[in-house]
Amino acid sequence: ARPKVVIVGGGAGGASVLRRLVERGNDALDIILVEPQATYTSCFYSNLFLGGFQPLDVLRHDYGAIAKLPGVTLARDAARAVDLAQRRVTLAGGSVLSYDRLVLSPGIDLDYGSVPGWSREAEERMPHAWKAGRQTEILKRQLDAVPDGGLILVIAPPDPYRCPPGPYERVSMMAHALTATGRSRARIVILDPKDRFSKQPLFQQGWEKHYPGMIEWMPPAIHAGIQTVDPSSMTVETGFETYRNADLVNVIPRQTAGRIAIEAGLAGDHLYCPIDPLTMQSRADPAVFVLGDAAIAGDMPKSAFAANSQAQRVAAIIGHELLGGTDGEAAYLNRCWSLIAANDSVFVGGAYRPGPDKIEQVASDISTLEDSAATRRANYEDSAGWYAGLTLDMFG
Ligand code: FAD
């Protein structure tokens, strides 16, 4: 029988591994993709939908082309349990899949208890939109309804979380949408549990330039902590001030690895999964590979770019172990763009290598405060090319 690879999660990590394995194995492997959603809505680029720069359709991708790839079977179901000893995955529908190698890229889960007063039930009124789909649409509808002079509160997440610059790009896109529709007297307050954030000087310069006076960022020393939120009255109480009748409250809570990875017993610090930096194998079981947001990837941020880069490595190791041939060299990359305003995009990037204990950054690159308008515009074009290329690679 052909060696069997089960991939749990058809997102940036899982779909990219699948592609690389099909290229390498070309029918020599029996690959099963376990994914409950018929349509994947990408979080990446979802802020641009919020800002009015992209239609929702651009974010949505289906698995039709993947299902037709040689050696691939699609299981439209969620993985419910993993038996590491028996090398078996049980699906919610009851079927049991055995594997020679298991790839887990389930993304994140949200810690609903991490913001007092907020809950899964409250996510309709105070959306997170940190998993894309229905939540993204709710957030957009609420943003469209904010009046001129209205108040938006964004509760930012603690580290480590999916997409470090994401909350700040989101705020930029909210400010753009408000300004472009004659609502520049609206106010956005970011209540942050962190003392600093990704690309902070670039964002703050951009906010001053494009949206003067509209965005206020508060670190914990100023807001003194979130005491409680009340979705029924749209109130947020901090140690410093109580905001009542907010027009929009975007709660981005603490995050962990996707539940299936935790329940499989693969999680460590902060409920993310330790991996071997050379191979992306779980520290708990070398037959299991964890990548993307669920993994502790050392200096690499949790991004779709990073997940796609890690996927090359996962596929190289699995191919080497199951089909023979070389396992190549471990080298990882990341690049994250953030759109601040029309044609004003900034990036941060890095190159990474496996160190003794973790994936270590060996080179970095970041936009500067002095960039020309042409550079910022070219960054935007690069980001559009990246989005098109990545989603083609995953779903094409
Ligand atoms: P995902 O892409 O979320 O895929 C996980 C998949 O697993 C999902 O399809 C889910 O349905 C499935 N799944 C979960 N549990 C199970 C289960 N039990 N059984 C089966 N399937 C399961 N990254 C960038 O590189 N650039 C950006 O510009 C960028 N912008 C972002 C903006 C925002 C607002 C957000 C929130 C994120 C952004 N990201 C960006 C981050 C990016 O979305 C994630 O890092 C990336 O999607 C991680 O890939 P993943 O495979 O780990 O998880």
Side-chain angles (χ1 to χ4, degrees):
R2 293 176 300 173
K4 219 168 178 173
V5 180
V6 172
I7 301 176
V8 172
S16 303
V17 170
L18 185 145
R19 278 285 163 168
R20 295 290 88 75
L21 284 177
V22 169
E23 282 166 11
R24 181 148 181 152
N26 196 26
D27 218 6
L29 295 171
D30 182 1
I31 304 171
I32 304 179
L33 175 65
V34 182
E35 168 60 60
Q37 305 190 89
T39 303
Y40 177 83
T41 307
S42 68
C43 275
F44 38 111
Y45 252 42
S46 66
N47 288 329
L48 276 63
F49 163 65
L50 214 57
F53 288 96
Q54 296 290 337
L56 187 61
D57 269 4
V58 165
L59 308 179
R60 295 163 63 87
H61 307 273
D62 70 47
Y63 293 92
I66 286 185
K68 292 197 194 109
L69 292 171
V72 173
T73 312
L74 206 57
R76 170 89 66 74
D77 203 348
R80 198 189 56 202
V82 180
D83 182 336
L84 297 176
Q86 302 291 327
R87 295 197 180 178
R88 284 199 299 236
V89 179
T90 304
L91 308 190
S95 39
V96 178
L97 307 173
S98 61
Y99 61 81
D100 294 296
R101 295 294 180 277
L102 175 64
V103 176
L104 285 181
S105 195
I108 51 150
D109 260 300
L110 306 174
D111 181 351
Y112 284 96
S114 62
V115 175
W118 193 69
S119 62
R120 188 185 290 274
E121 294 68 49
E123 75 179 23
E124 298 274 322
R125 249 177 101 72
M126 293 185 169
H128 53 81
W130 220 242
K131 289 184 174 200
R134 219 177 97 69
Q135 276 281 303
T136 316
E137 294 182 69
I138 293 174
L139 185 62
K140 170 82 167 143
R141 263 203 309 279
Q142 293 190 0
L143 178 63
D144 288 346
V146 170
D148 194 17
L151 173 66
I152 297 177
L153 299 168
V154 176
I155 298 180
D159 289 321
Y161 65 95
R162 157 177 283 183
C163 195
Y168 314 96
E169 182 191 57
R170 174 171 288 177
V171 164
S172 309
M173 291 294 93
M174 287 175 166
H176 170 80
L178 293 165
T179 306
T181 49
R183 294 176 288 165
S184 38
R185 289 186 303 119
R187 204 158 66 95
I188 307 175
V189 178
I190 308 167
L191 301 167
D192 209 319
K194 305 179 292 298
D195 291 320
R196 61 187 69 83
F197 61 88
S198 174
K199 297 185 257 193
Q200 182 168 349
L202 293 163
F203 277 113
Q204 289 183 324
Q205 181 200 47
W207 294 344
E208 267 318 299
K209 176 174 173 195
H210 300 291
Y211 319 112
M214 189 182 248
I215 300 168
E216 194 178 350
W217 174 73
M218 292 199 190
I222 295 185
H223 63 69
I226 307 284
Q227 304 303 308
T228 185
V229 307
D230 179 2
S232 63
S233 61
M234 294 297 277
T235 298
V236 174
E237 187 185 336
T238 71
F240 172 69
E241 189 170 346
T242 299
Y243 303 89
R244 294 178 211 283
N245 296 318
D247 297 285
L248 192 170
V249 180
N250 177 202
V251 178
I252 310 171
R254 180 186 300 277
Q255 294 149 43
T256 67
R259 193 166 308 114
I260 185 71
I262 299 172
E263 287 172 0
L266 304 173
D269 288 353
H270 301 286
L271 294 177
Y272 289 100
C273 302
I275 48 101
D276 180 336
L278 188 62
T279 61
M280 302 299 301
Q281 285 163 305
S282 164
R283 290 284 194 195
D285 182 345
V288 180
F289 294 75
V290 185
L291 75 159
D293 293 350
I296 300 176
D299 294 342
M300 295 187 84
K302 298 186 186 303
S303 76
F305 196 120
N308 177 260
S309 175
Q310 292 158 9
Q312 323 293 320
R313 188 64 185 150
V314 170
I317 300 291
I318 292 178
H320 168 70
E321 290 181 349
L322 298 181
L323 302 172
T326 168
D327 66 355
E329 206 187 336
Y332 307 99
L333 288 173
N334 181 59
R335 203 168 185 84
C336 282
W337 291 267
S338 301
L339 191 61
I340 300 178
N343 290 315
D344 188 354
S345 171
V346 293
F347 72 87
V348 60
Y352 308 81
R353 294 273 178 177
D357 308 314
K358 62 168 189 159
I359 297 178
E360 293 175 356
Q361 181 151 7
V362 293
S364 63
D365 195 9
I366 187 164
S367 295
T368 70
L369 295 171
E370 296 78 32
D371 283 340
S372 68
T375 299
R376 296 293 179 87
R377 177 192 286 266
N379 290 345
Y380 181 56
E381 283 156 12
D382 289 348
S383 78
W386 168 78
Y387 186 86
L390 175 61
T391 51
L392 185 68
D393 189 47
M394 291 166 65
F395 300 105

